[in-house]
Amino acid sequence: MRESTPAATELTSQYINRVTSDLEHNIKEQEATAAEIAALQQRLAALQHDHTVLVQMRQALGATATSPVSADIDSGTVPSPRKQAAGAARKVADSAAAGKSTKRPADGLKRLRPTLVELVRHHLNEQSEPQSAAEVATVLSRMHPDRGIKSTVVRTTLENLVARNQAQRTKQGSSVFYTTPDEPKSPAGPSSESQPDITE
């Protein structure tokens, strides 16, 4: 019995070393897998961020160029009904280009889906006080919940309107507010746009 005890102890020690080695290997594999998952999550987050930026850029470009497919560029996530509406709009545009009589569907789609620029401009025209981008986005989101209107996209649209002299920007502290352009008060004012009209 005395001789078997050291042998059993040595065998147990070998098992302990093997299990310890396997455990360390398992932990290293877990760490490597966790690192790969973290890298993939970072890549996914970067792709999602790029997607959001591209959608906003397309919105801004579509708003400036009044693209016929601007109906589907308000949000990065496009539900299936909006995909179908966008497809129908594209078919109408293609048919019109081919010379087919599609005025009625095209007019109907245009009335149903005003561009974001039109919505923002119309909202500013109805307000008597300056509005922030967040306020405009909140109101438009409440009025058009299916469009997924975001504050960042509204701010880009407002800045585009300012650049085209279709809106004015004012700053109060750290906040920025937008209003419709002031109407010229008299024909003889300093506005360069009104001067060519005064030729009697």
Side-chain angles (χ1 to χ4, degrees):
M1 295 294 293
R2 291 181 180 178
E3 293 180 358
S4 63
T5 301
T9 302
E10 184 178 353
L11 184 61
T12 302
S13 177
Q14 290 178 359
Y15 276 118
I16 290 174
N17 291 336
R18 179 59 184 270
V19 171
T20 301
S21 176
D22 290 345
L23 182 62
E24 291 175 354
H25 181 70
N26 181 280
I27 291 174
K28 288 180 180 179
E29 285 193 347
Q30 287 187 46
E31 292 174 350
T33 303
E36 291 177 1
I37 292 174
L40 289 173
Q41 288 177 338
Q42 289 180 354
R43 177 164 173 74
L44 176 61
L47 288 172
Q48 290 174 338
H49 177 267
D50 291 345
H51 179 270
T52 302
V53 172
L54 290 171
V55 168
Q56 294 174 359
M57 290 176 64
R58 188 173 68 164
Q59 170 66 45
L61 292 173
T64 302
T66 60
S67 172
V69 295
S70 61
D72 65 333
I73 60 176
D74 294 333
S75 173
T77 57
V78 182
S80 55
R82 288 186 58 198
K83 287 183 179 178
Q84 294 173 0
R90 276 191 284 271
K91 287 181 181 178
V92 168
D94 294 339
S95 299
K100 296 180 181 179
S101 59
T102 55
K103 292 183 179 179
R104 187 177 299 173
D107 292 342
L109 283 173
K110 195 169 185 180
R111 289 193 196 98
L112 290 173
R113 299 293 298 186
T115 64
L116 184 60
V117 175
E118 293 172 343
L119 293 176
V120 171
R121 194 186 309 139
H122 180 70
H123 177 73
L124 285 182
N125 287 336
E126 291 183 338
Q127 304 306 310
S128 58
E129 296 181 356
Q131 300 285 304
S132 67
E135 290 172 337
V136 175
T138 300
V139 173
L140 294 182
S141 296
R142 194 178 304 126
M143 295 173 61
H144 305 277
D146 60 317
R147 299 187 69 140
I149 297 173
K150 297 182 180 179
S151 179
T152 52
V153 180
V154 171
R155 184 176 295 108
T156 302
T157 303
L158 286 165
E159 289 297 328
N160 286 337
L161 290 175
V162 171
R164 292 153 57 187
N165 294 325
Q166 296 180 6
Q168 288 183 340
R169 184 199 307 114
T170 56
K171 197 168 184 181
Q172 299 178 8
S174 60
S175 301
V176 178
F177 295 91
Y178 300 88
T179 57
T180 53
D182 294 333
E183 295 293 335
K185 295 182 179 179
S186 63
S191 174
S192 60
E193 294 180 359
S194 61
Q195 289 178 359
D197 296 334
I198 311 174
T199 54
E200 293 185 358

